[in-house]
Amino acid sequence: MTPDTYTNPVLNADWSDPDVIRVGDDFYLTASSFGRVPGLPLLHSRDLVNWTLIGHALQRLEPAREFRSPRHDCGVWAPALRHHDERFWIFWGDPDQGIFQINAPEIRGPWTRPHLLKEGKGLIDPCPLWDEDNDEAYLVHAWAKSRAGINNRLTGHRMHPDGTTLLDDGKVIVDADHLPGWFTLEGPKVHRHDGWFWILAPAGGVETGWQGAFRSRGFFGPYEEKVVLEQKDTDVNGPHQGAWVRTSSGEDWFLHFQQRGAYGRVVHLQPMSWGDDGWPVIGDAGAPVAVHRKPDLPPQPPAAPATDDDFPGGRYGRQWQWTANPQDGWATHHSGDGLRLTCARSADAHDLRRLPNLLTQRLPGTPVAVEVELRLHSEELWARAGLAVLGDAYSWIGLQRGADGLVRFVHRFAEPVAMGAPPTPFGQWGSERDAGESCLAPDGRVRLRIEIGAGARCRFFYDVGDGPRPSGQVFAATPWRWVGALLGLFALAPVGTGHAGAAVFTRFRISSLH
């Protein structure tokens, strides 16, 4: 790579289902956040290659009662970000609730509370279009078969220009059951270009699919279709679902995701042009590029979403999200540095996947070492705190106060088991088991380290004051169904009464292993 080129992926972590717009000289990106809070991340770039996380548009998931506990694969699916009438707009589908919309005068807000535009099960991947030429507004969305019983089709509506009301019952404008070989058509993004209505939409599933383009002279069709991006002989599986954006100099680019197992959906940048037949040409003649010339934009310093955190004053950075709507008192501010997490009492303390009070961030897509210092400030028996690699299966290292009142380093793991499954040979669903030898932590403190290598294979280390030591066997991080694995910090205590103390995390660092 040279200073004039970039290497994919440009966002090497789980920024799922990206959508991107340009406003002036600035590019903004949002992505699916599923059940994590705050939701709808907002990223900024000046060159489409270097991105920083500037905030979130959604501070709580609604309806709040549905998200008091983790719903890892639910919540915010495939948002569409637009700028219209001097406002920023985000539309998304919650597969169990319907289509929501929020808007704001500035990208950093204040954002309106979620407005339920269309109620129903299985309504996903909405995208609005304001057709300035005809003073009309439209909305297109896809369907989730798991909730609606149907999929592989796109439904279109006329919409009130203020984005609050749909003006008809909707019409299927693309039925991919009539397209030989097409399945799981979803993720539509609708545009006007060169006298056509364009819908850019993926099909074929997240791991193996392709990017389609559809065009029609009228919004409600009929549409003709073409495959415009697919894996071909590259190692980029399922290159699809993303955003077409045009720079101020007139260049066209396309950002899409690639499903990478425990790493989630990483984001690639592809060159885009328009062929002699009027159809878009993405990547290298329809195949993803690995290295390419940067966009013709002013040079920018290298940048990426933050990962490290000193937690000044007990405050955590934008990169962190809870696994459900947060409650007051989980993290407390104080005069020094370090994240002070209350040891929250829970009947589900034996299974981290069930807990809302985990503070998480995305698993990096390259080999890294993750480190944090931990001190347990709790006299409660069985109080515990630690650093986790969280997914359908999980493993964590940290400190626990035992029945004898002493604090020990512990290493635990839980196997992947489907929600609602019967008891396993190792006990009830979600039971943890020891993954390594425990040892005394005489000062109630420990330095924790996880080395994450190729294939998201994790090796755990600890240091209670006499030097770093490995713990347990290598653990392969696992995703949930739609969400990549997460790094998480937590503090817990058994059910009881009164304050159970706290844990303090300091100097959280992620460094490259290369």
Side-chain angles (χ1 to χ4, degrees), residues 185-196:
L185 177 65
E186 57 188 353
K189 297 295 184 288
V190 58
H191 304 270
R192 281 284 265 154
H193 171 68
D194 197 26
W196 295 88

Side-chain angles (χ1 to χ4, degrees), residues 395-447:
S395 190
W396 67 271
I397 49 176
L399 297 176
Q400 177 174 279
R401 189 173 293 278
D404 57 5
L406 300 177
V407 176
R408 290 177 170 82
F409 165 80
V410 294
H411 183 179
R412 300 281 173 80
F413 84 100
E415 295 182 283
V417 181
M419 189 73 74
T424 71
F426 307 107
Q428 293 297 318
W429 178 86
S431 297
E432 293 180 347
R433 291 192 288 159
D434 289 331
E437 298 293 329
S438 65
C439 70
L440 287 175
D443 297 325
R445 67 172 69 218
V446 66
R447 181 72 180 172

Side-chain angles (χ1 to χ4, degrees), residues 464-486:
V464 294
D466 54 358
R469 299 182 181 183
S471 177
Q473 300 301 311
V474 171
F475 167 79
T478 62
W480 282 281
R481 186 176 184 188
W482 306 126
V483 179
L486 300 167

Side-chain angles (χ1 to χ4, degrees), residues 28-83:
Y28 300 105
L29 180 151
T30 192
S32 297
S33 49
F34 298 98
R36 301 194 299 278
V37 183
L40 290 172
L42 300 170
L43 285 75
H44 171 256
S45 177
R46 285 288 183 91
D47 64 359
L48 294 171
V49 174
N50 296 286
W51 293 89
T52 56
L53 178 63
I54 60 174
H56 292 81
L58 188 63
Q59 297 309 307
R60 296 183 72 82
L61 288 164
E62 294 191 10
R65 67 182 180 276
E66 300 289 338
F67 293 97
R68 290 177 294 189
S69 299
R71 302 179 67 204
H72 296 292
D73 291 312
C74 301
V76 177
W77 283 23
L81 174 63
R82 292 293 182 264
H83 189 257

Side-chain angles (χ1 to χ4, degrees), residues 14-249:
D14 188 20
W15 302 96
S16 178
D17 313 318
D19 197 20
V20 181
I21 60 171
R22 177 179 66 86
V23 180
D25 294 328
D26 298 289
F27 299 93
Y28 300 105
L29 180 151
T30 192
S32 297
S33 49
F34 298 98
R36 301 194 299 278
V37 183
L40 290 172
L42 300 170
L43 285 75
H44 171 256
S45 177
R46 285 288 183 91
D47 64 359
L48 294 171
V49 174
N50 296 286
W51 293 89
T52 56
L53 178 63
I54 60 174
H56 292 81
L58 188 63
Q59 297 309 307
R60 296 183 72 82
L61 288 164
E62 294 191 10
R65 67 182 180 276
E66 300 289 338
F67 293 97
R68 290 177 294 189
S69 299
R71 302 179 67 204
H72 296 292
D73 291 312
C74 301
V76 177
W77 283 23
L81 174 63
R82 292 293 182 264
H83 189 257
H84 165 72
D85 196 23
E86 302 300 317
R87 296 187 72 83
F88 291 88
W89 303 75
I90 301 179
F91 290 67
W92 75 92
D94 178 319
D96 301 301
Q97 309 293 333
I99 294 170
F100 288 91
Q101 172 261 108
I102 57 175
N103 59 87
E106 305 289 342
I107 192 68
R108 290 174 173 83
W111 290 86
T112 59
R113 287 193 61 179
H115 170 72
L116 184 58
L117 179 63
K118 182 180 180 180
E119 185 176 5
K121 296 281 189 180
L123 308 177
I124 59 170
D125 307 352
C127 182
L129 173 68
W130 285 272
D131 184 2
E132 309 291 355
D133 293 341
N134 299 310
D135 197 28
E136 295 274 2
Y138 303 97
L139 182 88
V140 62
H141 70 81
W143 296 85
K145 190 170 185 177
S146 59
R147 272 72 162 188
I150 58 172
N151 71 344
N152 206 33
R153 66 197 66 183
L154 306 178
T155 294
H157 291 269
R158 281 191 169 86
M159 182 177 71
H160 193 285
D162 68 5
T164 63
T165 309
L166 299 179
L167 302 180
D168 56 35
D169 294 331
K171 174 186 175 183
V172 174
I173 58 176
V174 178
D175 187 345
D177 285 348
H178 297 155
L179 303 178
W182 287 66
F183 61 96
T184 319
L185 177 65
E186 57 188 353
K189 297 295 184 288
V190 58
H191 304 270
R192 281 284 265 154
H193 171 68
D194 197 26
W196 295 88
F197 286 88
W198 289 90
I199 298 176
L200 301 179
V206 295
E207 294 185 354
T208 58
W210 59 89
Q211 179 66 37
F214 299 80
R215 70 180 183 183
S216 173
R217 292 297 185 183
F219 173 76
F220 289 100
Y223 282 87
E224 51 185 324
E225 83 286 344
K226 185 177 182 179
V227 174
V228 292
L229 183 69
E230 55 189 328
Q231 180 172 356
K232 296 190 177 180
D233 60 356
T234 74
D235 60 0
V236 181
N237 59 297
H240 67 265
Q241 186 153 335
W244 164 39
V245 65
R246 175 167 287 178
T247 69
S248 56
S249 64

Side-chain angles (χ1 to χ4, degrees), residues 204-456:
V206 295
E207 294 185 354
T208 58
W210 59 89
Q211 179 66 37
F214 299 80
R215 70 180 183 183
S216 173
R217 292 297 185 183
F219 173 76
F220 289 100
Y223 282 87
E224 51 185 324
E225 83 286 344
K226 185 177 182 179
V227 174
V228 292
L229 183 69
E230 55 189 328
Q231 180 172 356
K232 296 190 177 180
D233 60 356
T234 74
D235 60 0
V236 181
N237 59 297
H240 67 265
Q241 186 153 335
W244 164 39
V245 65
R246 175 167 287 178
T247 69
S248 56
S249 64
E251 288 186 341
D252 293 307
W253 296 84
F254 186 77
L255 294 102
H256 66 90
F257 75 70
Q258 175 196 9
Q259 172 69 35
R260 291 194 59 221
Y263 299 114
R265 301 174 184 179
V266 303
V267 179
H268 292 240
L269 175 66
Q270 302 294 337
M272 178 172 159
S273 60
W274 296 87
D276 294 338
D277 57 0
W279 289 88
V281 179
I282 301 177
D284 180 7
V289 300
V291 179
H292 195 270
R293 172 189 59 81
K294 289 180 179 178
D296 182 19
L297 294 165
Q300 302 294 319
T307 55
D308 295 354
D309 207 339
D310 287 319
F311 309 108
R315 294 170 173 83
Y316 48 87
R318 298 185 182 103
Q319 65 268 36
W320 298 97
Q321 296 170 291
W322 300 100
T323 48
N325 281 334
Q327 299 177 16
D328 292 338
W330 284 354
T332 57
H333 298 166
H334 54 90
S335 59
D337 290 345
L339 176 69
R340 187 177 181 87
L341 290 183
T342 299
C343 291
R345 296 187 181 277
S346 174
D348 291 321
H350 62 286
D351 193 326
L352 301 185
R353 292 164 293 202
R354 292 174 175 254
L355 296 172
N357 58 307
L358 262 75
L359 196 60
T360 68
Q361 65 167 282
R362 293 161 178 81
L363 191 74
T366 56
V368 295
V370 181
E371 293 187 295
V372 69
E373 296 175 8
L374 166 63
R375 184 162 187 176
L376 185 62
H377 295 276
S378 174
E379 299 302 318
E380 189 86 9
L381 299 185
W382 305 115
R384 66 190 71 171
L387 167 65
V389 177
L390 189 67
D392 188 34
Y394 70 84
S395 190
W396 67 271
I397 49 176
L399 297 176
Q400 177 174 279
R401 189 173 293 278
D404 57 5
L406 300 177
V407 176
R408 290 177 170 82
F409 165 80
V410 294
H411 183 179
R412 300 281 173 80
F413 84 100
E415 295 182 283
V417 181
M419 189 73 74
T424 71
F426 307 107
Q428 293 297 318
W429 178 86
S431 297
E432 293 180 347
R433 291 192 288 159
D434 289 331
E437 298 293 329
S438 65
C439 70
L440 287 175
D443 297 325
R445 67 172 69 218
V446 66
R447 181 72 180 172
L448 305 172
R449 177 181 173 93
I450 304 175
E451 294 184 357
I452 306 173

